[in-house]
Amino acid sequence: MTASEPTKVETAEFTLRHGLCAPAPSSENLLMFDFAEGWTHLDGPGVAVMPTGGLHAHGARKGWHWTTDEITDGIAAGPEDIAGLGPNPVTAYLLGHDVGTGKRPARDQTVVLGEVTRTGDGGIHWTGTVPQGCAGAPVFIDVPLEGNSFKLVCLGVALPGDGHHTIAPFDRIRTALRALGQDTAPVLAVTEPPAQPREPKRRWWQRRG
């Protein structure tokens, strides 16, 4: 799951970080053809989702597999977590990969500190920097519990913007997923590789070379 806008390209390049693949692949880059066709855009939230079956099928054909950390439905913010936000700024954490000048090829994971507020119309806004490449990254907040304890939840996904960024929250994402008739628990679960497509056109993960 990511912001819709970055997915609207026909060819995409993945930089394969060895820490996310086991065993380490022989190539450090993966070209994905027909990239835009693989995404389903959710009406309303401004996000797109892609089944991970093609990625896993590619890894299996090459002799390695992806290692992933899914944001499950238990970690994703619930309606009560989002309803607790208001006009007062709340500390938030964006977890992404800064690909700005001088950042490649390492693409180390980075935590960006910012604040979120919720306006009267229900919109959630991010105040702070969003590094290049971090649009579509998950945003986390601390939700107070009884006593001095708290829980860390994923509020939603940061959307692109020109000096102004909104958050696509999980209450809207869940509603959009239900409209597609999809199960939402867990939200970002890894799926099994799909059956081979029947159309003659070969997808990127089926191509040789």
Side-chain angles (χ1 to χ4, degrees), residues 67-91:
T67 59
T68 59
D69 292 318
E70 297 83 22
I71 296 177
T72 64
D73 198 57
I75 299 175
E80 68 282 359
D81 302 320
I82 297 170
L85 296 173
N88 295 326
V90 173
T91 301

Side-chain angles (χ1 to χ4, degrees), residues 1-4 6-12 14 32-42 47-55 180 182 191 194 199 201-205:
M1 179 182 295
T2 189
S4 286
T7 68
K8 298 176 182 180
V9 295
E10 289 306 310
T11 303
F14 273 45
M32 297 177 63
F33 300 98
D34 303 321
F35 184 69
E37 297 179 13
W39 294 88
T40 298
H41 298 268
L42 304 184
V47 301
V49 294
M50 174 190 282
T52 57
L55 298 176
L180 293 178
Q182 298 184 17
T191 60
E199 66 268 22
K201 184 177 181 179
R202 297 177 68 86
R203 300 297 181 184
W204 66 268
W205 63 81

